[in-house]
Amino acid sequence: MTTTPKCPGCSSEYTYEDGDNYVCPECAHEWPMLAATSAEADSIVRDAFGNELKDGDSVTVIKDLKIKGSSLVVKVGTKVRNIRIVSGDHDIDCKIDGIGAMQLKSGFVKKA
Ligand SMILES: [Zn+2]
């Protein structure tokens, strides 16, 4: 079931869908559905420069990253292929040559 959002004009809950728009029967306000689906926008992961990252993207590390519990360091400029977006503090799941599977923060990478 889909629930319609409240009317941005009068906060009525009795809105309905009409084609690509939502319509409020109380104040006759109409607005596009795309703008209302902000839940999707919240889950977008961006790199340090604001580029959107998606599953399968390649990124470059922009900062030396020490790996907790080891002496390994992921050097600046390391290329990481085929990332996977996950939720959490470290929002990128990936495998790095010579290091193995690990998680990165999207703020420390740049889309390649
Ligand atoms: Zn309204």
Side-chain angles (χ1 to χ4, degrees), residues 1 3 14 19 40-41 64 70 81-82 85-86 102 107 110:
M1 287 298 286
T3 50
Y14 303 105
E40 187 85 359
D64 278 350
S70 83
R81 286 185 196 83
N82 200 18
I85 304 302
V86 294
M102 65 171 294
K110 175 175 170 286

Side-chain angles (χ1 to χ4, degrees), residues 45-54 56-62 79-80 83 92 106 108-112:
V45 171
R46 294 177 192 281
D47 71 5
F49 300 90
N51 299 306
E52 188 179 338
L53 297 173
K54 291 202 182 96
D57 275 353
S58 295
V59 297
T60 306
V61 176
I62 58 164
K79 255 209 158 179
V80 184
I83 62 168
I92 295 173
S106 55
F108 295 150
V109 303
K110 175 175 170 286
K111 192 169 176 172

Side-chain angles (χ1 to χ4, degrees), residues 67-89:
I67 298 173
K68 261 187 200 160
S70 83
S71 58
L72 294 169
V73 175
V74 181
K75 296 267 191 206
V76 172
T78 300
K79 255 209 158 179
V80 184
R81 286 185 196 83
N82 200 18
I83 62 168
R84 207 162 62 82
I85 304 302
V86 294
S87 58
D89 181 34

Side-chain angles (χ1 to χ4, degrees), residues 7-12 24-29:
C7 171
C10 70
S11 297
S12 168
C24 171
E26 302 199 25
C27 70
H29 183 62

